[in-house]
Amino acid sequence: MTATTDAPTRTGTHPRVEGLDKVTGRARYAYEYAADEVAYAWPVTASVGAGEVRGVDVDGALAQPGVLAVLWHGNAPSLADVGDSKVAVLQSPVVAFRGQVVALVVASTSEQAREVATTLTVTYDSREPDVVLRADHPTLYRPESVNGGYSTDSVIGDAVAEFDACPVQVDATYTTPPEHNHPMEPHASTAVWGDGRLTVYDSSQGGNAVRSTLSTLFGIDRELVRVVTSHVGGGFGSKGMPRAGVVLAVMAARQVDRPVKVALTRQHLFDLVGYRTPTIQRVRLGADPDGRLRSIDHQALEQTATVEEFAEQSVAATRVMYAAAHRRTAHRLVRLDVAVPSWMRAPGETPGMYALESAMDELAVATGVDPVELRIRNDPDVDPETGARFSSRNLVACLTLGAQRFGWAGRDPEPGVRREGRWLVGTGMASSTYPTYATAASCRAGVDPDGGYDIAINATDIGTGARTAMLLVAADTLGVDPSQVRVRVGDTDLPQAGLAGGSMGTTSWGMAVEKACRELLEAVRAAGGVVDERIEVAVDTKAEIAAQAELSRHAFGAQFVEARVDIDTGEVRAPRMVGMFAAGRIVNARTARSQLIGGMTMGLSMALHEEGVPDAAFGGFTNHDLSTYHVATVADVGDIDVGWIDEVDDDVNTIGTKGIGEIGIVGTAAAVANAVYHATGVRVRDLPITLDKTGQLA
Ligand code: MOS
């Protein structure tokens, strides 16, 4: 095995096919589609933390210039119930959280709509909101299952009794704050009704779900709804399912009988598009003096909303990471007056692996075993909870090669003893993992007499390079130059496929593209190799997905971080990070590298900056913009070096990919925290690692 980003086998490299369109402004995003007589809708959000809406001054608002309609639950059209509070907008007087949509102003210009929306008089019956997650909260309960279909609890042996009997024990509680998705392009939609048909240009990770939801909500035949998602400026999970904005656009467009645009502001994103739940996690590791784990116990406490449950799978990764005969994992929830938490890049793995990998570092300290060696010693042969075979598991290779690349060998484990000028210097590491998912997709592939190939699939390119990845899968399968292939994505008129989420886009769509291209080659052969008119095939991968064997499918990785902490201010910098991954076949080295660096950047941001602050007095969050909710900027990021193993996995699925969108963020925060400990001797168990937490160092 070799670690390289240069030229591994089966890896192509290609610039984004739509890159030129994007940098020249030709690529159109959801809000930018022209429509005649377009109107603009602006959401009005609850200014109370919990309660009910009593009334809205509709007449006063309608008297303002340009106002076409004012909708609230008292006059809004009824929508079918799809069991999703997030899209059931203006259907009930209940205010479940501060920032919820309670009314909508539609006007001829965006400025008029915004002006009237921000001055609209709304009256409420309000009560004091309860928005702070605490371990002793009275509403604590056990959910039936958690996101991703994982079981709530797992129990093997007797983790607590075994822990009590272990000579080395780590028992620590870690907390993570709410974190917010902030894609570069905030959510936006343009809705156009015409001839009984609905066309929606939407900033979404998956147009098919938007189409299904809109067709049910508004009682319109699926075939009469078209959702276009040509270009999307990121999502991180927040655009994984339809949300309030797109429903409001469609509702308003029907109401005023004109096309309507809705663009959420950066401020709206804090309340209306989901966020990562805060967590309180207790991890107990029981081991022998040589670091071999005998007991793993990981309990996560999270929050959900009063109106709907979302249970993040925070301890799911712990079930696959390390061997130990006795194990217990559990998720518990508290219902609060908050927006429903939701997906944010590697939901579950991200907070969970911060806790587990911090605890592993504490175990390394307690046993004196090197952190890399500790993980190698506890690497399981089979999935430690299901007993299933791994399709491939190359964590050890990632640890070894990553350590080499970083220069880990000979590290002095003593914390707080290296100093360069004002900086205390340390290094830390952590493992990464992410499950490999795939869903069925359909695809059409055609070839024309001029030798041009055409691939059509409703994949969504949210900026990751999905179009280009599909191009390379197609060109590779067809054995032609990529310049001969055209790929069409981002439109529900194209063959149906799943969302860009769960790091499964390239796998799910790629399986369908590869199959379509193989069948197209067959069809051309059957025609004697002569293409005198278009030859086209259509496939889906339902059978391939259904036939997948019971294997444990995961990507793995190892991350290494150098941290510097200012001796006087406690400021933390991370000038150098190395990530080494084993994620199956890497389709496009160029965009894969970006995904992994992006994930690690987001993990660094989580470690040092990101913190949604619940507003205990008024509900919602106290921070509502990027000046008070800090994300890592260019100046915060040093050298991030990523590599991967040329991992050939013929069992994981039909194209050997494992997905790379999320694994980069998993483990990063722990690697940073572990490096901060090594630099300072201060163990921060509460993210983010702000300078008040590193304490007096001088
Ligand atoms: Mo990702 S949080 O699965 O879009």
Side-chain angles (χ1 to χ4, degrees), residues 259-289:
V260 168
K261 290 177 189 269
V262 171
L264 298 190
T265 60
R266 185 62 64 189
Q267 288 79 7
H268 283 137
L269 263 57
F270 285 83
D271 301 310
L272 294 179
V273 303
Y275 60 97
R276 195 193 296 285
T277 178
T279 68
I280 301 171
Q281 302 178 63
R282 184 179 183 191
V283 182
R284 276 182 283 188
L285 302 178
D288 282 327

Side-chain angles (χ1 to χ4, degrees), residues 592-611:
R593 181 173 172 274
S594 299
Q595 283 299 301
L596 296 167
I597 290 174
M600 290 174 69
T601 302
M602 212 161 160
L604 173 68
S605 190
M606 170 191 182
L608 300 183
H609 304 293
E610 296 190 38
E611 181 173 22

Side-chain angles (χ1 to χ4, degrees), residues 315-610:
V315 304
T318 297
R319 296 174 184 165
V320 302
M321 281 309 295
Y322 302 115
H326 298 267
R327 0 186 15 112
R328 186 178 73 164
T329 63
H331 301 88
R332 295 294 180 269
L333 290 184
V334 168
R335 283 195 195 281
L336 298 173
D337 299 314
V338 294
V340 190
S342 185
W343 300 331
M344 178 165 161
R345 206 170 196 170
E349 288 78 17
T350 300
M353 286 288 279
Y354 159 66
L356 178 67
E357 292 298 297
S358 293
M360 285 295 281
D361 200 65
E362 301 208 41
L363 182 63
V365 171
T367 55
V369 177
D370 178 81
V372 173
E373 172 59 24
L374 180 72
R375 287 162 174 85
I376 293 172
R377 248 173 230 188
N378 287 291
D379 195 57
D381 296 328
V382 295
D383 187 306
E385 301 222 349
T386 66
R389 178 169 75 79
F390 287 104
S391 67
S392 60
R393 177 180 171 115
N394 284 302
L395 174 60
V396 170
C398 292
L399 290 163
T400 308
L401 293 167
Q404 273 172 22
R405 191 144 162 160
F406 183 79
W408 182 265
R411 172 184 184 261
D412 173 6
E414 186 71 24
V417 296
R418 284 150 306 274
R419 192 166 161 178
E420 287 179 28
R422 296 166 57 85
W423 300 99
L424 290 167
V425 182
T427 54
M429 56 77 55
S431 300
S432 305
T433 190
Y434 195 79
T436 302
Y437 301 115
T439 57
S442 45
C443 178
R444 217 166 41 233
V447 58
D448 290 313
D450 66 1
Y453 291 86
D454 178 46
I455 307 297
I457 180 169
N458 186 23
T460 321
D461 191 334
I462 61 171
T464 55
R467 257 187 197 84
T468 316
M470 292 309 101
L471 178 76
L472 293 185
V473 169
D476 187 50
T477 311
L478 294 166
V480 300
D481 190 82
S483 63
Q484 280 176 258
V485 184
R486 179 171 74 132
V487 174
R488 290 181 291 143
V489 301
D491 189 331
T492 54
D493 279 357
L494 302 172
Q496 187 165 338
L499 85 164
S503 297
M504 65 184 164
T506 296
T507 298
S508 305
W509 310 321
M511 287 173 68
V513 170
E514 192 260 357
K515 183 177 180 183
C517 290
R518 269 193 294 110
E519 295 204 359
L520 180 63
L521 289 176
E522 276 302 311
V524 171
R525 259 193 294 276
V530 181
V531 183
D532 47 18
E533 60 183 7
R534 173 173 266 237
I535 299 177
E536 190 170 272
V537 299
V539 304
D540 70 58
T541 55
K542 289 190 188 111
E544 285 77 7
I545 296 293
Q548 291 207 322
E550 288 292 317
L551 289 175
S552 190
R553 294 177 171 80
H554 304 268
F556 291 94
Q559 302 198 19
F560 297 80
V561 171
E562 177 187 319
R564 294 180 169 236
V565 183
D566 188 293
I567 193 94
D568 293 314
T569 67
E571 175 189 356
V572 179
R573 312 289 303 175
R576 201 163 65 88
M577 302 167 72
V578 169
M580 181 61 62
F581 300 93
R585 171 184 175 187
I586 302 300
V587 172
N588 187 4
R590 188 148 164 173
T591 47
R593 181 173 172 274
S594 299
Q595 283 299 301
L596 296 167
I597 290 174
M600 290 174 69
T601 302
M602 212 161 160
L604 173 68
S605 190
M606 170 191 182
L608 300 183
H609 304 293
E610 296 190 38

